[in-house]
């Protein structure tokens, strides 16, 4: 179950401290110019060590493409790629061979598989998301040809909310703050909360919001292939994700139908649009041509730089002090991951919808 | 894309005003005693006309099994079933042939397929969920053999919340209130809000919470086949669902890692458990043996018994007054649907996990 | 595993002596005029009791469509359908409750599932192919809009071969002989062999050839989604099928590359074609625009009207005399089944290829 | 469509003259000791340059595992692997940039994708089967733990047949002849035919037979997931494969049911077996515990070392002389590929069948 998608499909592999992270992208349209600078830049947005807010682990995270590209363009055949792991500090993890970190996947992997790579969380490490970012970057390149753009940003850290509607935000400023929040004042408060948590060896969660513009109407397939269901699955497959909603989501529950229904009208272009977009661009599981927007909740990182009580494989109580380099807050680095999964999903459904034309 | 699941799979069909709703259940284990009374009872829980809170449309919603069962037991072959639609008032919908109801699927279906059954929403009607309830009931019968139980309840209607932790609730009382909220006082307040909305021809949304007990550790498959991702997809495929979270979800964001991590300990049984369960029974995408609990947000029903402005196929502005029989609030009837999708998902992953044993 | 296809998908159900055979067709394009007369005619071609050559079991085999069609046209939503079983002689099969018919699926089903419907072979009966013929008929209706035609015929019965190349045959005559062989002289010899076998309570096998014309170049997806691999899987899923080849197949093995390679040339239309078509219309797993032709080998029916030695569930040796109504040769009735599976496969790949355009 | 399998899945990538061939193996059971020597030996059996019969292209074909293995054992997570391409003579193929080799995939790839890697056939090169052999070798390692063994051999080259029943052959001798035929006299004749073809710059086809022993009863899933259908699909996905049959296959057609039915009996072990095995170990699509045997027909290689007439992209007639290093007969090297695809399929169905236990 390391494959995601129907037509545009990513199959990924790789452990935190193994030889490489990588994957195979199947179903990518042929003839797409592979802008490797753009792809590398997306990886850099996810990379550790970008700012004081993120882990100090330094990895070049340089992608090598092995197939599916000829003379700079995709050929329609499967694209294999790898990113070598270079900065192992595996000895930092020796004490995790027998111990289960609280709220990590150590225990469930051990129980399910009996044999696991304990180093840095192995396959359950967020390092696996590198493969998602590569595939997402390629998906973005294809989507750009159709003017479909995806922008994520941090809208909550701990108790600090950004409540401004996305239409009122200047999303071109997302990358200007290390926390990837487009409002500089809110960003400062978020940074303060992260630093407070970090100072205590503690961690902090938040919410990433994401806006997809230019998505044509018609993407999504009733009744189990709804675009909303696919986006939910995509987002909930990301490490530490605990919640997903779109449109008015959980916050629209107190509204009445009469205040939240989106009224149709004929746009100047002749197309039919809605005057409001509480639906979040998806109706009956199918995109309606309006902006798609959704949120993803992330829990605080499980890895604390504090001593915690836990058990070893035999169930003996032990005191665990985790070593290694860890983020106090993953949200800023998770923005490109959310975008990548959105891009993969949208391109997949864009291609799927071609069978209806 | 009318199929859900990997091993235990439901493929469904049917329109609101067509001949029948039905489906095919594939991958059901052989030798399961088909308790038809239980199955019918599950359908009755979903049925319209149960109480004054729900639509007056009366349908017997009686399921007929056509295959896969021999001498009362499943044979392991595919189970075909149908539920005849008997109470059409299709003429109520004649004015929808050319019009798009706001926040409904009318427009997106028309745009995607060019030709649609406008009567009662056709395939986009929540009547399709009958097939889910049938498959879910069978899944529940199988899961019961392993002591896995699933209980949903309404935890929010409009502005009325049930904030009590599920462990403090008496879930055996869910069915005693028409709104399916186990706290009678909160239930009364919820009913009042529904009736207020109904009196105005308006509609109201809410949240369903769901608890799954007895789920063994080990269900779920990294990295895209996480149990949490599958549950999210299952829930977001339900009509009017706008959000999903599990464990502490969106509400846990303000917590720190140190307060939310679940500490492992050795239980009296010798198994390893967690002292708290903020994780919601899933860690690293795999069940850890604790209770799984999650929430699903539902928007207010789009169909209002008020005149609304909208457009026809040509984009001309029209005034639309919907006829027919409609719920002001779908939450009470959606409880068995949420449970059904949870049951289908859990059984599917339970069977999938057998390959690891 | 009762689902076939990627985009155009059939999920089927039904036992020989159960309530009904049926299925769900997913992914059918919208707006297709459902020619029910054509569909029923396809079912009639498969039906028992067409001629003295086939079993006397008489069933109307009348299909009822339950969804996915509105005002005579497909809507793009899933099409549910059933065919009631009306002519059960289940008591004929009472002695098979405990016995395993040689070379039948009785034993393997019993072993795999522990609980089986022994009546008429249950799910393993060729009666399940009714659902394939329905889906195939709808696929043919879609393919016809693109001038893609599929014609099967019997090219071998026992020792009687039709060695004429299909281009030299008048395929419009296939339906004029009860054995569905377009050469009347060969057909007569085939009929004689069938009657000889029948007279002895014995059975006889053969080969069906199938020609697909008008298939555009480009269908098929390397490396595991080759059109040839999909056709092979489709054909080998038919009851009693034991072999598949396409183009020169097994018979081309003695040729050299220099004599069998198909030389390209520019056709008058400007398209590129091949002067010969030893490839059978598929190169590198992708259709090349030439006719696709293939063969399917069928073993003699396992059900003999002779006493056979076998065992019961406990392994005790018994003498078994099968009752009921059985074909001595399934080939004539299998022609529409082969065509149906070819149509389903070709339409599926036709739709899949749209994502490349 | 570069993924094969349901539970045990191979997703592959790589072009003949690209950076590497590789793949991802998903669903491999955890705890399997990875015998890298065995895996490399399987690759060596497929490798060019083994004998005078095969192409002189020399590649080390050394596999590097990148994930899914920890301290020598599989972890249950996805296994990424690559094999670098080292011996490019890409300039040999410059004249193929604009030309279509007869009976190759050059034309169909160009037409489908518009942009292709012409060097050495790109993705359509049989070099992609390296990934199959790696996955097959791992599948064999798992199957061995259950005493399931798979042995392929060449049973026909050109007009030279090996007609001896496999039970009468000493299959341990397969590797002793360069042509992988276990009968040394027949092997000599086959070698002569290959050398004759080679001398003329011509090519020659043949048949590979394959025997699978120790397969437990119960593998296969009606009606579209038949083991026979999956094996057919697996084999027909191999380059140059034109036909598949199992059990008596095409050669059993002239038999009557009474002579070909397999009579059940109770074996000394208490299990039920069949006295003959014309069924080829599969009944009703499910393995019955007897040996599975099947055949795969391969056409003569399309690449001739002769001048051939063909067209360029614009359809202009040209004379093409292919350079490079090519096999006159792929059969000997295809034996491990056939075995690999059989191993992948059997393991996949073995794991799938666990859900029934």
């Amino acid at each position: 179950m390391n494959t995601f998608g129907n037509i545009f499909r990513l199959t990924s592999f790789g452990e935190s401290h193994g030889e490489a992270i990588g994957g195979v992208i199947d179903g990518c349209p042929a003839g797409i110019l592979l802008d490797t600078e753009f792809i590398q830049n997306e990886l850099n947005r996810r990379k550790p060590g970008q700012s004081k807010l993120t882990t100090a682990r330094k990895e070049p995270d340089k992608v090598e493409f092995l197939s599916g590209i000829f003379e700079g363009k995709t050929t329609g055949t499967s694209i294999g790629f790898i990113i070598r792991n270079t900065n192992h500090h595996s000895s930092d993890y020796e004490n995790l061979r027998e111990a289960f970190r609280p709220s990590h996947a150590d225990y469930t992997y051990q129980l399910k598989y009996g044999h696991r790579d304990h180093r840095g969380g192995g396959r359950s490490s967020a390092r696996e998301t590198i493969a998602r970012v590569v595939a997402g970057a390629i998906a973005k390149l294809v989507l750009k040809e159709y003017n479909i753009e995806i922008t994520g940003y941090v809208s909550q850290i701990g108790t600090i909310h950004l409540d401004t509607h996305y239409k009122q935000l200047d999303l071109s400023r997302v990358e200007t703050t290390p926390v990837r929040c487009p409002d500089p004042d809110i960003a400062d408060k978020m940074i303060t909360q992260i630093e407070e948590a970090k100072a205590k060896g503690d961690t902090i969660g938040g919410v990433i919001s994401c806006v997809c513009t230019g998505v044509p109407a018609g993407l999504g397939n009733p009744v189990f292939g709804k675009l909303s269901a696919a986006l939910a699955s995509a987002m909930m497959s990301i490490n530490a994700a605990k919640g997903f909603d779109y449109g008015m989501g959980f916050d629209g529950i107190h509204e009445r139908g009469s205040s939240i229904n989106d009224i149709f009208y004929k746009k100047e272009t002749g197309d039919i649009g809605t005057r409001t977009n509480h639906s979040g661009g998806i109706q009956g599981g199918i995109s309606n041509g309006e902006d798609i927007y959704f949120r993803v909740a992330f829990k605080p990182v499980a890895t604390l730089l504090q001593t915690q009580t836990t058990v070893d494989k035999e169930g003996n109580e032990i005191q665990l002090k985790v070593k290694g380099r860890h983020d106090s807050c993953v949200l800023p680095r998770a923005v490109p991951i959310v975008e990548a999964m959105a891009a993969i999903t949208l391109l997949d459904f864009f291609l799927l919808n071609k069978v209806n034309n």
Side-chain angles (χ1 to χ4, degrees), chain A:
Chain A
M1 314 268 279
N2 292 284
T3 297
F4 186 85
N6 299 278
I7 298 291
F8 184 86
R9 291 153 65 93
L10 168 66
T11 302
S12 77
F13 65 84
E15 279 84 40
S16 181
H17 290 219
E19 288 304 314
I21 302 288
V24 185
I25 298 162
D26 206 351
C28 184
I32 303 296
L33 191 68
L34 207 76
D35 180 342
T36 50
E37 197 178 329
F38 173 76
I39 297 168
Q40 191 59 48
N41 187 55
E42 289 291 284
L43 283 169
N44 293 347
R45 292 174 69 211
R46 197 218 73 95
K47 207 167 64 169
Q50 296 170 58
S51 76
K52 59 179 178 176
L53 294 180
T54 58
T55 164
R57 176 170 171 167
K58 295 252 185 205
E59 298 255 13
D61 285 354
K62 188 148 176 46
V63 62
E64 180 188 9
F65 290 102
L66 302 171
S67 69
I69 296 149
F70 181 61
E71 298 181 343
K73 287 186 188 168
T74 60
T75 60
T77 63
S78 49
I79 301 170
F81 64 89
I82 58 173
I83 299 94
R84 295 274 174 187
N85 293 324
T86 56
N87 190 359
H88 305 171
H89 287 199
S90 300
S91 59
D92 284 354
Y93 294 88
E94 193 54 33
N95 64 338
L96 295 181
R97 186 184 278 273
E98 302 291 323
F100 300 136
R101 289 170 297 171
S103 286
H104 257 287
D106 298 343
Y107 168 66
T108 48
Y109 270 63
Q110 181 66 37
L111 191 111
K112 186 175 183 85
Y113 299 115
H115 177 63
R116 76 187 158 98
D117 182 348
H118 65 277
R119 301 167 306 168
R123 181 70 177 144
S124 74
S125 164
R127 223 177 132 64
E128 61 90 349
T129 58
I130 289 177
R132 306 178 187 228
V133 172
V134 172
I138 292 177
K140 282 182 178 182
L141 288 172
V142 184
L143 291 171
K144 266 183 198 173
E145 304 207 345
Y146 301 95
N147 295 314
I148 303 171
E149 299 271 356
I150 297 162
T151 310
Y153 59 94
V154 173
S155 57
Q156 186 175 347
I157 293 288
T159 56
I160 309 299
H161 297 243
L162 172 63
D163 289 327
T164 319
H165 189 276
Y166 77 87
K167 291 260 192 189
Q168 265 62 57
L169 294 170
D170 178 359
L171 295 182
S172 70
R173 298 173 72 173
V174 173
E175 296 296 312
T176 64
T177 67
V179 75
R180 292 206 164 89
C181 171
D183 180 314
D185 295 335
I186 303 282
D188 283 346
K189 291 180 191 162
M190 289 174 169
I191 291 166
T192 303
Q193 286 225 344
I194 295 172
E195 288 176 337
E196 280 172 13
K198 192 178 181 182
K200 294 176 187 159
D202 212 337
T203 59
I204 190 166
V207 173
I208 290 174
S209 294
C210 189
V211 182
C212 312
T213 59
V215 181
L219 310 196
N221 297 276
V223 295
F224 298 116
K226 286 178 175 151
L227 181 55
S228 36
L231 285 169
S233 174
M235 297 306 148
M236 296 306 290
S237 77
I238 300 174
N239 308 46
K242 301 297 282 188
F244 169 88
D245 64 6
Y246 77 102
M248 294 296 280
F250 278 96
D251 290 346
I253 290 163
H254 57 277
E255 299 282 349
R256 294 293 152 93
S258 58
S259 60
I260 210 171
N261 270 3
D262 295 314
I263 303 306
F264 288 112
Y265 75 110
K266 189 177 197 164
K267 294 194 282 192
E268 290 186 11
T269 59
D271 290 338
I272 291 171
T274 60
R275 292 197 185 275
T276 52
N277 183 20
H278 301 126
S279 297
I282 302 173
Q283 292 180 324
I286 300 172
S287 64
N288 68 354
E290 303 296 318
D291 291 349
I292 293 174
Y293 62 95
F294 61 85
R295 300 188 307 158
V296 189
F298 289 87
K299 69 170 184 175
V301 184
T303 307
L304 312 184
L305 293 175
Q306 299 177 354
T307 299
Q308 294 181 90
T309 302
T310 189
V311 296
D312 65 14
K313 278 187 200 173
E314 278 69 44
N316 302 312
E317 187 174 306
I318 57 170
Q319 297 300 311
L320 184 70
K321 182 77 193 291
V322 172
K323 281 176 273 186
R325 299 143 299 170
H326 303 281
D327 286 312
S328 291
C329 179
V330 294
L331 276 285
R333 290 177 57 206
V335 168
I337 302 166
V338 165
E339 289 176 1
M341 291 308 294
I344 293 169
T345 306
L346 286 179
L347 177 56
D348 189 35
F349 276 68
F350 181 85
L351 295 172
L352 258 179
N353 194 42
K354 284 194 168 194
V355 307
N356 294 298
N357 297 322

